[in-house]
Amino acid sequence: MMEIKQLSKVFAGVSGEVVALQNIDFSVKQGEFVSIVGTSGCGKSTLLSIVAGLSKHTSGEILVEGKAISGPGSDRAVVFQSDATFPWLTVSENIEYGMKVKRMSKEARKKKCDELLELLELEKFRDAYPREMSGGMRKRIDIGRAYAVEPQILLMDEPFGALDVVTREAMQDELLRIWSERRKTVIFVTHDLEEAMFLSDRIILLSPRPGRIKQIIDLPFARPRTQQLRESHEFYELRNQLRKIMG
Amino acid sequence: MMEIKQLSKVFAGVSGEVVALQNIDFSVKQGEFVSIVGTSGCGKSTLLSIVAGLSKHTSGEILVEGKAISGPGSDRAVVFQSDATFPWLTVSENIEYGMKVKRMSKEARKKKCDELLELLELEKFRDAYPREMSGGMRKRIDIGRAYAVEPQILLMDEPFGALDVVTREAMQDELLRIWSERRKTVIFVTHDLEEAMFLSDRIILLSPRPGRIKQIIDLPFARPRTQQLRESHEFYELRNQLRKIMG
Amino acid sequence: MKIKLLSYVSILILIAVWLVLTLGGIVESLFLPGPKQLYEVISTSYADLAKHMGYTLMRQFTGFFIGSALGIIVGLMIASNRYIQALLDPIIEILRPVPPLAVIPMLILWLGIGPVPQILLVIFGCFVILVVSTVEAVKNVPKIYVNAARTLGAQWFYIYRTVILPAIVPSLVGAIRVAAAASFGLVVAAEFMGAQEGIGYYMIIAQRYLRTDMILISIILISAIAWLVDQAIRKIEKRMTQWSERHQ
Amino acid sequence: MKIKLLSYVSILILIAVWLVLTLGGIVESLFLPGPKQLYEVISTSYADLAKHMGYTLMRQFTGFFIGSALGIIVGLMIASNRYIQALLDPIIEILRPVPPLAVIPMLILWLGIGPVPQILLVIFGCFVILVVSTVEAVKNVPKIYVNAARTLGAQWFYIYRTVILPAIVPSLVGAIRVAAAASFGLVVAAEFMGAQEGIGYYMIIAQRYLRTDMILISIILISAIAWLVDQAIRKIEKRMTQWSERHQ
Amino acid sequence: ACSGNDKNDEGAAESGGKLKEVSFGMMPYYDYAPWALAENQGFFEQEGIKFKSTMFPVEGNVAPALINGSIDIGGFGDTPSITLASQFQDLRMVSFLNIFKGFAIMANKKGDFKTYEQFLKESNDPKQAAIETGKQLKGKSIVTTSGAAFYMVLEQALVNAGLTMDDVKLIDMEPDVGVSAFISGTGDFYLGGLPQREKLQGEGYPALISGDEIGPGAVMLAGLATTKKYADKNPETIKSLQKVWFKTMDYMKSNPDEAYAFLAKWSNEQNGGKSTADDAKKFIEAYVIFAKSPEDAKALFYDENSSTSWKQRYEYLVKYHEETDIIKKDSVKINDLVLAESIFQSLQQE
Ligand SMILES: Nc1ncnc2c1ncn2[C@@H]1O[C@H](COP(=O)(O)OP(=O)(O)OP(=O)(O)O)[C@@H](O)[C@H]1O
Ligand SMILES: Nc1ncnc2c1ncn2[C@@H]1O[C@H](COP(=O)(O)OP(=O)(O)OP(=O)(O)O)[C@@H](O)[C@H]1O
Ligand SMILES: [Mg+2]
Ligand SMILES: [Mg+2]
């Protein structure tokens, strides 16, 4: 259970103050899949980074299991919006990084890493360095690295934005599979309404500057969700409706 | 007129050779809007960077107006896939960069810059530095910087990938408007089939490793294209068809 | 603010240790002069010291600025062009490790005494530090910025001025701070070359008579001024790298 | 390959100028010794030179390695913790600009002659170069890498070892190359401190008798060895920064 | 840091029959060469000493090394011993062994002047010639090193000619760099150490006047210095060293060919030179006066009436340095500083 209460964040930038988040109020239940959607610059990444414990909020409260967040930790792994693979590590070393931190045995690491490499379709590049990878491949490394530590809360900032539709749908399906197996909390930032609808239990819609909650949408779709859902009329309707709310 | 003949590109990576492109053959007419679509890692960015004159191809030929490309130039401005805003310049300085290179007068620069800032919805951030911007905002700066030099050929590598649906559609409309006004060539890399379909005259579909042309699709849709097209049955049909071709 | 306090603490401890060692009579004043000896030197020769320091600073500043600027410019030139690199790199590589002390007699033979060879030595020292650091810093500039500028039509000179130069500023801060500190050591070495004034000259005389009190005073003075210079560099740097994440 | 040729050209020109000046009788051999003088020195004292060079290199290498390693470690410590920084930074800032030449008599007084104070001087010189460069390099590490490691549960020590350290390698190359070159200058200065052997000792004797031929030989020897060291550093660096875009 | 060499406890060393190690600081010049000869001949072992030489190319480093305890005994000149003693009260001059007269004021090749020799030829009066030569210094610039052993040569030359330091322009720098500056055209005259004098002569620069020609004030007494602690604990060792010295002198007298050949070889090893035995002989005869026997030493240094009596010279030097504010008044007491005479006397009594 994570509770966010009256959370605000103000940046004192060179060009004046920017209110990135204002009075954000919501909570996420254990095992829930929540998406955060909003236009560019509305504060999605800022919110995620506060939840991750990487930024301090200006006011308000944020509690995980009743306790205020004091900093980052592997219980809340993050897939960052920008490129965050370690360029000095090979693909497999990147993926094993968090597992090494957790002092997992070499065999366990290797096994998990192989699984993930297959999942991410990077088997052939296990020993390559990130600079030899395409943008989408690097993103997949980031995703694998976060998956590997099996966090209590997985924070993902537009993880599939750089992926083509085939890879992306495969990754979405995988994410749902992993999530439904382990039932950990996922907070998922995306600018893609359909993606949010397909994946989440709830969508939190942010309005831009100052970033406020415009609406919270509970999704009525049953799980497991399949390709059929994407093509259903219901889905299509809701999408158009949300699209209108966004502006 | 740009002609690409039997173009191949092989990377000699740490983990062995990677054939990124193999026997690519196509041409782009003056004023045409061509999209390149393919799965992650199939060689889209590589192809674009060769066209831009930033990478050397391994074999084959690439001619612009009958002459081999010898290097990059402002006739082929690029919007890169990864973040390429100059962090030491403010938003407006970034946008004016190419215009300064072209020795445009201060007033002309200012005027163009103001136009673009409005278009990109960044007016309020003209004097901010890129590090104070969100991922999507930085991407928009990149786009503005490339637009500003009014290149003969505009090369865009997943420019709208980081943008939310609202901003993205606005940007797509703007791109089409600008393009139809000036009728310059655009080569547009995307992993979003719908986007490619909505924008282009032709789609070049690449198959992954080695990157080869799988299919070239001439789009039958009339211009100007509007929101209605996106919602039409024809559009929807073609999309599903292409989706199947992709795998 | 607690942190600021801590940084005074470490200096105060240093001073306290010094006071205990000297006033407590634990070490002889010849080995480590105490406050009394230093006070005596200062009270009798502060005017002299100020004059010497003035000469030294003039040489140090001139040498540091010219040497650093030249180092950055030549470093950029070497990094910009493989032909220039092939021509200049070997010569610089040959000259770079030449010990300043070794060339002093040669320099005097060739150029005589006077401020020219002295400033030249400081210039040379700062130059070699910055030339190498600049070449390395340029290598570390992310290629994408250069590529972006190239596709916007910028030619190499313009790219160097508007992309490479601002991009390497953060990486050069270290080298500039090293060069600034080194320039003090160099100017002292240079003043061993027959300067008739300057803190290096003052020190040579002090060494001749093993006047550790005079040596210590000179060292303290140089440290203090170098510290001020370093603070100034940090201030300027902060303004120039505002755009980066360095100071967050 | 044409480029490689060019780099020989510049050295050949240097040598040609030297030959013309000396063999052509344009400068006296006292001012610039010619090949004949150098050959004589070498043929009579190559064994001696080799011996001296051996001692010097031993000190130089020891000092360079210990000093650089220490500088990087302390630099990382300072960069890692604001309290450590507050404590150590002022002391290092005070010591950093102290001219090595100025402390030589003091060092002899405190530590006597022998290799210890000499190696200490080299250590100190390399240490201050690397400590500053490391602190600055750490500041330039993109925050996102540190953040990524933190969210993966890494603690600060682990982050320093696995993120900061590899990330600063490319930025430290310049500093290490500067320190390597400086260590030769420092070891010569150090050998002025009552060394019984070593190229610095050899040079002092040469200076005493104004044997410019011996001085020039020593300079050439040092340059040559420093060049080899620099090549080795570049090789190692290339292997260690394979992952970066530096060498493309 | 300031501990002396406690390990070398005299009694233990001698009773055990083992050799006592003496760490000896010297410079690579001819005046120190006899010590090397003594080592070569095994004279130290005969006196129960294991000689360990430490070569200092820079004079300035001998003093700190001695104070620190890195060396037990070092070669020292009179002027440096006084300036150092004002800083380090425990310095002790324990013997005088030679007089150095080889310092010379060197003149620029192109200068308009006459050398002492030329004046002497004209007037045949050494005293007058020295005065006339000295007068030429007026208003000229002189490259030299204040506080160095040879500095008094200039002082004396000026005094002879009725001039003071204010009548000349002093260019004060270390001898090594000074000679470079002089060759490159700085200054009208140069006064430095012997290596520099030789170098300049080799390059064709004439000697204006040398120390012994100027007068008794312009020579340097040289001997051995140590710390109070060492002198107190090791009186026998110090005496033994003097015995070694005189033994070496005897050897040089009876075997001059071998001796000078060795000295030349030693010197060449030190500085990469090419001197022959003949050069060494000439050099030593021209520039240094060794105390060849105890009687010789007595006559040179310890006879109050000698022109080179240590007492006279030290009193003069202390007065001079006090007057010129180089040392503080009463900071040097020559009877504390110089133990040489009493040690010499006790040696005589044995
Ligand atoms: N510098 C490099 N060294 C080695 N291999 C490389 C390099 N750059 C790209 N590649 C390889 O070339 C192939 C194509 O890469 P490219 O970046 O063109 O893909 P892409 O189609 O743009 O993918 P994405 O949609 O993920 O951006 C990939 O398999 C990649 O591993
Ligand atoms: N370091 C910073 N300094 C000042 N302002 C900042 C900083 N980081 C973000 N902002 C501002 O905060 C607002 C929200 O930024 P944020 O990155 O959270 O947006 P976002 O919703 O993630 O956008 P996108 O979809 O484009 O990634 C933006 O207006 C941005 O200008
Ligand atoms: Mg974001
Ligand atoms: Mg790509």
Side-chain angles (χ1 to χ4, degrees):
Chain A
M1 178 81 169
M2 190 183 79
E3 291 159 287
I4 292 175
K5 293 180 188 164
Q6 291 293 313
L7 191 88
S8 295
K9 170 79 183 180
V10 181
F11 283 108
V14 177
S15 54
E17 282 197 348
V18 172
V19 182
L21 295 172
Q22 197 173 58
N23 301 339
I24 302 292
D25 237 331
F26 69 95
S27 59
V28 181
K29 283 192 288 289
Q30 156 71 28
E32 202 178 3
F33 197 122
V34 174
S35 286
I36 297 172
V37 177
T39 53
S40 172
C42 73
K44 303 182 293 293
S45 299
T46 305
L47 180 56
L48 212 70
S49 119
I50 292 171
V51 174
L54 294 171
S55 307
K56 285 266 163 291
H57 43 281
T58 314
S59 66
E61 257 190 316
I62 173 161
L63 306 171
V64 173
E65 310 302 341
K67 279 192 295 192
I69 287 176
S70 66
S74 67
D75 56 326
R76 278 158 290 131
V78 181
V79 178
F80 292 89
Q81 181 174 16
S82 44
D83 213 342
T85 40
F86 300 129
W88 52 89
L89 298 182
T90 62
V91 173
S92 60
E93 286 166 350
N94 260 289
I95 288 175
E96 289 187 28
Y97 187 88
M99 298 192 275
K100 263 196 183 154
V101 172
K102 286 175 89 177
R103 296 170 184 282
M104 277 169 65
S105 76
K106 202 164 172 174
E107 298 76 47
R109 269 182 357 231
K110 170 120 179 41
K111 187 160 163 281
K112 186 96 198 170
C113 179
D114 285 345
E115 266 174 53
L116 286 167
L117 284 173
E118 200 197 319
L119 175 78
L120 304 164
E121 293 184 46
L122 291 171
E123 305 101 311
K124 279 177 55 187
F125 298 95
R126 66 163 60 240
D127 296 322
Y129 284 106
R131 73 170 159 81
E132 303 168 71
M133 301 286 101
S134 77
M137 289 156 93
R138 276 202 291 271
K139 198 82 238 165
R140 284 180 269 160
I141 303 172
D142 280 354
I143 293 169
R145 195 174 61 181
Y147 282 1
V149 295
E150 303 192 349
Q152 287 301 314
I153 304 178
L154 181 59
L155 306 170
M156 303 180 88
D157 197 349
E158 311 202 9
F160 306 147
L163 302 180
D164 63 283
V165 60
V166 182
T167 316
R168 173 186 212 129
E169 287 180 1
M171 298 292 286
Q172 288 173 353
D173 292 341
E174 279 305 323
L175 174 58
L176 279 189
R177 191 181 59 75
I178 294 172
W179 172 75
S180 58
E181 265 173 24
R182 304 199 299 117
R183 278 286 163 181
K184 305 292 178 180
T185 314
V186 177
I187 300 181
F188 193 93
V189 169
T190 178
H191 53 254
D192 183 336
L193 270 176
E194 280 157 76
E195 183 171 71
M197 286 164 56
F198 183 71
L199 295 172
S200 340
D201 296 322
R202 265 193 306 160
I203 294 178
I204 292 169
L205 212 71
L206 293 185
S207 70
R209 272 185 301 279
R212 264 185 293 208
I213 295 186
K214 193 179 233 171
Q215 196 152 347
I216 299 187
I217 300 107
D218 280 293
L219 290 165
F221 313 123
R223 297 190 186 264
R225 296 179 182 168
T226 58
Q227 189 59 29
Q228 279 156 346
L229 173 64
R230 282 204 186 93
E231 289 163 13
S232 72
H233 185 71
E234 218 186 336
F235 193 81
Y236 186 73
E237 282 288 272
L238 188 58
R239 184 208 170 272
N240 286 353
Q241 198 183 320
L242 289 180
R243 175 72 188 73
K244 271 186 201 105
I245 296 172
M246 279 186 74
Chain B
M1 178 79 168
M2 192 183 78
E3 291 158 285
I4 293 174
K5 294 180 186 163
Q6 291 293 313
L7 192 86
S8 296
K9 170 80 183 181
V10 181
F11 285 107
V14 177
S15 54
E17 281 197 350
V18 173
V19 182
L21 295 172
Q22 197 172 56
N23 301 339
I24 301 291
D25 238 328
F26 69 94
S27 58
V28 182
K29 284 193 288 289
Q30 156 71 27
E32 203 180 359
F33 197 123
V34 174
S35 286
I36 298 172
V37 177
T39 53
S40 173
C42 73
K44 305 182 292 294
S45 300
T46 306
L47 179 56
L48 212 69
S49 118
I50 292 171
V51 174
L54 294 171
S55 308
K56 286 264 163 293
H57 42 282
T58 315
S59 66
E61 257 190 316
I62 173 162
L63 306 171
V64 173
E65 310 301 342
K67 279 191 296 191
I69 287 176
S70 67
S74 66
D75 56 325
R76 278 158 291 132
V78 181
V79 178
F80 292 90
Q81 181 174 14
S82 44
D83 214 343
T85 41
F86 300 129
W88 52 90
L89 297 182
T90 61
V91 173
S92 60
E93 287 167 347
N94 260 290
I95 289 176
E96 288 187 29
Y97 187 89
M99 298 193 276
K100 263 195 183 153
V101 172
K102 286 176 89 177
R103 297 172 183 279
M104 277 168 65
S105 75
K106 205 167 172 173
E107 298 76 49
R109 264 172 12 222
K110 172 120 181 37
K111 187 160 162 285
K112 186 98 198 169
C113 178
D114 286 344
E115 265 174 54
L116 285 167
L117 285 172
E118 201 197 316
L119 175 76
L120 304 163
E121 293 184 46
L122 291 171
E123 304 100 313
K124 278 177 57 187
F125 299 94
R126 67 162 61 237
D127 296 323
Y129 283 108
R131 73 170 158 79
E132 304 168 70
M133 301 287 101
S134 78
M137 289 156 93
R138 275 203 292 271
K139 199 81 236 168
R140 282 180 271 159
I141 303 172
D142 280 354
I143 295 169
R145 197 174 59 181
Y147 281 2
V149 295
E150 305 192 346
Q152 287 301 313
I153 304 178
L154 181 58
L155 306 170
M156 304 180 87
D157 197 349
E158 311 202 8
F160 306 147
L163 302 180
D164 62 285
V165 61
V166 182
T167 316
R168 173 185 211 132
E169 288 181 2
M171 298 291 285
Q172 288 172 353
D173 292 342
E174 278 305 324
L175 175 58
L176 279 190
R177 191 181 59 76
I178 294 172
W179 172 73
S180 58
E181 264 174 22
R182 305 199 301 116
R183 279 285 164 181
K184 305 292 177 180
T185 314
V186 177
I187 300 181
F188 191 95
V189 168
T190 179
H191 53 255
D192 184 336
L193 271 177
E194 280 157 75
E195 184 171 70
M197 286 163 56
F198 182 72
L199 295 172
S200 338
D201 296 322
R202 265 193 306 161
I203 295 178
I204 293 169
L205 212 70
L206 294 186
S207 68
R209 272 185 301 277
R212 263 184 291 208
I213 294 185
K214 193 180 234 172
Q215 195 150 351
I216 298 187
I217 300 108
D218 280 292
L219 291 164
F221 313 122
R223 296 191 188 263
R225 294 177 184 168
T226 57
Q227 191 58 28
Q228 280 156 346
L229 173 63
R230 284 203 183 93
E231 290 162 14
S232 71
H233 183 72
E234 216 186 338
F235 193 82
Y236 185 74
E237 284 286 272
L238 189 57
R239 184 208 171 272
N240 286 353
Q241 196 183 321
L242 289 182
R243 174 75 188 73
K244 274 186 199 104
I245 297 174
M246 278 186 75
Chain C
M1 281 305 89
K2 239 165 95 190
I3 285 194
K4 198 119 201 194
L5 223 92
L6 207 62
S7 77
Y8 293 128
V9 164
S10 77
I11 297 203
L12 285 179
I13 291 179
L14 209 71
I15 294 178
V17 168
W18 172 61
L19 288 179
V20 168
L21 286 179
T22 53
L23 293 183
I26 299 167
V27 266
E28 273 178 68
S29 70
L30 178 66
F31 287 84
L32 186 66
K36 223 186 79 208
Q37 283 84 4
L38 297 195
Y39 173 76
E40 243 169 69
V41 173
I42 292 177
S43 62
T44 56
S45 57
Y46 59 92
D48 238 34
L49 269 170
K51 192 195 73 189
H52 286 307
M53 204 69 211
Y55 282 110
T56 299
L57 287 182
M58 195 273 295
R59 291 179 190 129
Q60 183 263 331
F61 271 97
T62 317
F64 168 61
F65 281 118
I66 298 180
S68 301
L70 217 65
I72 294 175
I73 292 170
V74 174
L76 287 173
M77 278 167 61
I78 289 179
S80 73
N81 185 299
R82 302 208 301 156
Y83 294 96
I84 299 180
Q85 164 163 23
L87 269 178
L88 292 185
D89 209 36
I91 295 179
I92 290 175
E93 282 304 303
I94 284 174
L95 293 181
R96 217 156 61 80
V98 171
L101 284 183
V103 290
I104 286 182
M106 292 269 210
L107 268 185
I108 295 184
L109 262 183
W110 294 336
L111 304 171
I113 54 172
V116 176
Q118 293 165 26
I119 294 177
L120 268 184
L121 199 82
V122 181
I123 289 179
F124 175 75
C126 295
F127 170 80
V128 293
I129 292 176
L130 272 138
V131 92
V132 173
S133 306
T134 304
V135 170
E136 295 298 336
V138 172
K139 283 190 198 159
N140 290 336
V141 173
K143 296 283 169 291
I144 190 147
Y145 297 136
V146 176
N147 284 345
R150 289 170 75 199
T151 62
L152 291 166
Q155 296 302 307
W156 77 265
F157 182 76
Y158 195 76
I159 293 178
Y160 268 78
R161 196 163 65 73
T162 59
V163 177
I164 303 282
L165 197 56
I168 60 175
V169 168
S171 327
L172 285 189
V173 178
I176 287 177
R177 290 182 60 203
V178 166
S183 67
F184 286 94
L186 286 163
V187 79
V188 167
E191 284 175 350
F192 280 36
M193 295 199 286
Q196 296 303 300
E197 66 286 302
I199 217 76
Y201 171 77
Y202 183 84
M203 274 193 194
I204 275 211
I205 304 282
Q207 290 193 5
R208 245 180 244 161
Y209 299 112
L210 207 63
R211 287 289 300 271
T212 44
D213 46 355
M214 284 165 65
I215 296 178
L216 193 60
I217 278 283
S218 313
I219 292 178
I220 292 175
L221 258 180
I222 286 184
S223 275
I225 290 177
W227 184 82
L228 288 176
V229 170
D230 199 60
Q231 291 301 312
I233 294 175
R234 289 188 187 197
K235 276 260 157 56
I236 295 170
E237 173 256 317
K238 223 166 197 162
R239 277 242 301 273
M240 286 182 73
T241 59
Q242 207 185 19
W243 54 267
S244 76
E245 314 174 306
R246 286 171 61 87
H247 296 290
Q248 296 193 300
Chain D
M1 281 303 90
K2 238 165 100 189
I3 285 195
K4 197 120 200 191
L5 224 92
L6 208 60
S7 76
Y8 293 128
V9 164
S10 77
I11 298 202
L12 285 179
I13 290 179
L14 208 70
I15 294 178
V17 168
W18 171 62
L19 288 177
V20 168
L21 286 179
T22 53
L23 294 182
I26 298 166
V27 267
E28 273 177 68
S29 69
L30 176 67
F31 287 82
L32 186 66
K36 223 186 77 209
Q37 283 84 6
L38 296 195
Y39 174 76
E40 245 171 66
V41 173
I42 292 177
S43 62
T44 55
S45 57
Y46 58 93
D48 239 34
L49 269 170
K51 191 195 74 192
H52 286 305
M53 205 67 213
Y55 283 110
T56 299
L57 287 182
M58 196 272 295
R59 292 179 190 129
Q60 182 264 331
F61 271 98
T62 317
F64 168 62
F65 282 118
I66 298 181
S68 300
L70 218 65
I72 294 175
I73 292 170
V74 173
L76 286 174
M77 278 167 62
I78 288 180
S80 73
N81 186 299
R82 300 208 301 155
Y83 293 94
I84 298 181
Q85 164 163 25
L87 270 177
L88 292 185
D89 209 36
I91 295 179
I92 290 175
E93 282 304 304
I94 284 174
L95 293 180
R96 216 157 60 81
V98 171
L101 283 185
V103 291
I104 287 182
M106 292 272 211
L107 271 182
I108 299 182
L109 261 183
W110 294 337
L111 303 171
I113 53 174
V116 176
Q118 292 165 27
I119 294 176
L120 268 184
L121 199 81
V122 182
I123 290 180
F124 176 75
C126 295
F127 170 79
V128 293
I129 292 176
L130 272 138
V131 91
V132 173
S133 306
T134 304
V135 170
E136 295 297 337
V138 172
K139 284 191 198 160
N140 291 336
V141 173
K143 295 283 168 292
I144 191 149
Y145 297 135
V146 176
N147 284 344
R150 289 170 75 199
T151 61
L152 292 165
Q155 297 302 308
W156 79 264
F157 181 76
Y158 195 78
I159 293 179
Y160 267 77
R161 198 163 65 73
T162 59
V163 177
I164 302 281
L165 197 57
I168 60 175
V169 168
S171 326
L172 285 189
V173 177
I176 287 177
R177 291 182 59 203
V178 166
S183 67
F184 286 94
L186 285 163
V187 79
V188 168
E191 283 174 352
F192 279 39
M193 297 199 286
Q196 300 305 299
E197 64 288 298
I199 215 78
Y201 174 82
Y202 183 83
M203 271 194 199
I204 299 192
I205 303 278
Q207 289 193 7
R208 183 103 321 168
Y209 295 92
L210 202 62
R211 288 286 301 270
T212 42
D213 47 355
M214 285 164 65
I215 296 178
L216 194 61
I217 279 283
S218 313
I219 292 178
I220 292 175
L221 258 180
I222 287 185
S223 274
I225 290 175
W227 183 83
L228 288 177
V229 169
D230 200 60
Q231 291 300 312
I233 294 175
R234 288 187 187 198
K235 276 260 157 56
I236 296 170
E237 174 255 318
K238 223 166 196 161
R239 277 242 300 274
M240 286 183 72
T241 60
Q242 207 184 20
W243 53 268
S244 76
E245 314 173 306
R246 285 170 62 87
H247 296 291
Q248 297 192 299
Chain E
C2 41
S3 66
N5 247 342
D6 294 321
K7 58 183 186 295
N8 291 337
D9 193 299
E10 183 141 285
E14 287 189 350
S15 60
K18 274 193 297 173
L19 294 181
K20 173 161 173 58
E21 189 176 293
V22 174
S23 172
F24 192 97
M26 52 197 268
M27 277 171 273
Y29 304 149
Y30 273 122
D31 17 342
Y32 295 89
W35 296 112
L37 179 60
E39 188 185 14
N40 179 257
Q41 292 296 320
F43 295 156
F44 287 106
E45 283 87 345
Q46 290 169 19
E47 291 293 333
I49 288 174
K50 184 158 179 283
F51 182 77
K52 183 169 161 271
S53 74
T54 300
M55 206 61 75
F56 286 89
V58 180
E59 286 86 346
N61 290 342
V62 182
L66 184 65
I67 295 170
N68 166 272
S70 295
I71 54 172
D72 300 324
I73 292 189
F76 246 79
D78 46 16
T79 308
S81 78
I82 287 170
T83 52
L84 179 62
S86 78
Q87 291 287 304
F88 181 61
Q89 305 289 339
D90 284 352
L91 189 75
R92 294 293 178 264
M93 257 338 253
V94 291
S95 83
F96 293 106
L97 298 170
N98 65 51
I99 293 171
F100 195 79
K101 54 178 184 172
F103 300 127
I105 297 176
M106 305 299 293
N108 203 314
K109 273 189 216 169
K110 301 174 213 83
D112 178 25
F113 55 82
K114 281 195 211 157
T115 62
Y116 171 82
E117 273 171 26
Q118 286 168 318
F119 278 117
L120 188 64
K121 247 193 211 139
E122 286 169 14
S123 66
N124 234 332
D125 176 358
K127 201 151 183 167
Q128 195 54 35
I131 294 171
E132 290 300 324
T133 318
K135 277 186 178 161
Q136 298 179 106
L137 294 172
K138 190 173 166 69
K140 293 290 179 356
S141 56
I142 297 157
V143 179
T144 189
T145 314
S146 67
F150 47 75
Y151 187 60
M152 294 310 295
V153 171
L154 176 63
E155 172 69 22
Q156 275 298 307
L158 291 173
V159 167
N160 283 352
L163 300 170
T164 67
M165 280 292 174
D166 296 333
D167 292 316
V168 295
K169 184 170 174 286
L170 211 64
I171 301 173
D172 189 2
M173 57 179 95
E174 294 295 293
D176 304 5
V177 286
V179 75
S180 292
F182 186 60
I183 291 176
S184 89
T186 306
D188 301 308
F189 298 102
Y190 173 84
L191 170 62
L194 205 51
Q196 289 87 30
R197 172 184 178 175
E198 278 191 283
K199 183 77 196 181
L200 286 173
Q201 277 181 328
E203 293 290 323
Y205 291 80
L208 186 72
I209 188 168
S210 70
D212 52 338
E213 292 162 349
I214 290 170
V219 295
M220 175 185 77
L221 310 194
L224 303 179
T226 185
T227 60
K228 176 174 186 295
K229 199 167 174 181
Y230 192 83
D232 288 348
K233 275 199 181 158
N234 305 281
E236 292 309 318
T237 310
I238 291 168
K239 276 187 232 164
S240 304
L241 284 174
Q242 306 211 21
K243 287 184 203 154
V244 170
W245 172 267
F246 292 125
K247 214 178 233 176
T248 313
M249 289 295 127
D250 286 345
Y251 175 80
M252 279 175 72
K253 203 154 53 182
S254 47
N255 307 288
D257 292 344
E258 290 92 333
Y260 285 116
F262 176 82
L263 296 192
K265 186 172 141 268
W266 177 80
S267 166
N268 290 344
E269 275 166 11
Q270 302 307 313
N271 60 33
K274 288 190 284 274
S275 346
T276 61
D278 218 31
D279 294 332
K281 185 161 190 280
K282 268 196 209 135
F283 184 99
I284 288 170
E285 280 172 357
Y287 300 143
V288 275
I289 304 167
F290 287 136
K292 296 194 180 61
S293 61
E295 296 71 41
D296 211 8
K298 188 169 168 51
L300 284 171
F301 307 115
Y302 307 114
D303 179 350
E304 297 237 1
N305 301 318
S306 158
S307 66
T308 51
S309 135
W310 76 265
K311 198 147 194 160
Q312 260 185 43
R313 176 140 180 96
Y314 267 67
E315 276 165 359
Y316 166 74
L317 285 174
V318 167
K319 193 162 140 265
Y320 172 79
H321 283 101
E322 282 177 354
E323 277 168 3
T324 50
D325 272 341
I326 291 168
I327 62 174
K328 271 178 255 156
K329 216 161 171 45
D330 298 328
S331 63
V332 178
K333 299 193 180 59
I334 58 171
N335 289 320
D336 286 348
L337 169 60
V338 182
L339 302 178
E341 184 152 8
S342 60
I343 292 174
F344 182 74
Q345 275 160 7
S346 70
L347 188 69
Q348 292 284 77
Q349 283 154 18
E350 278 175 19

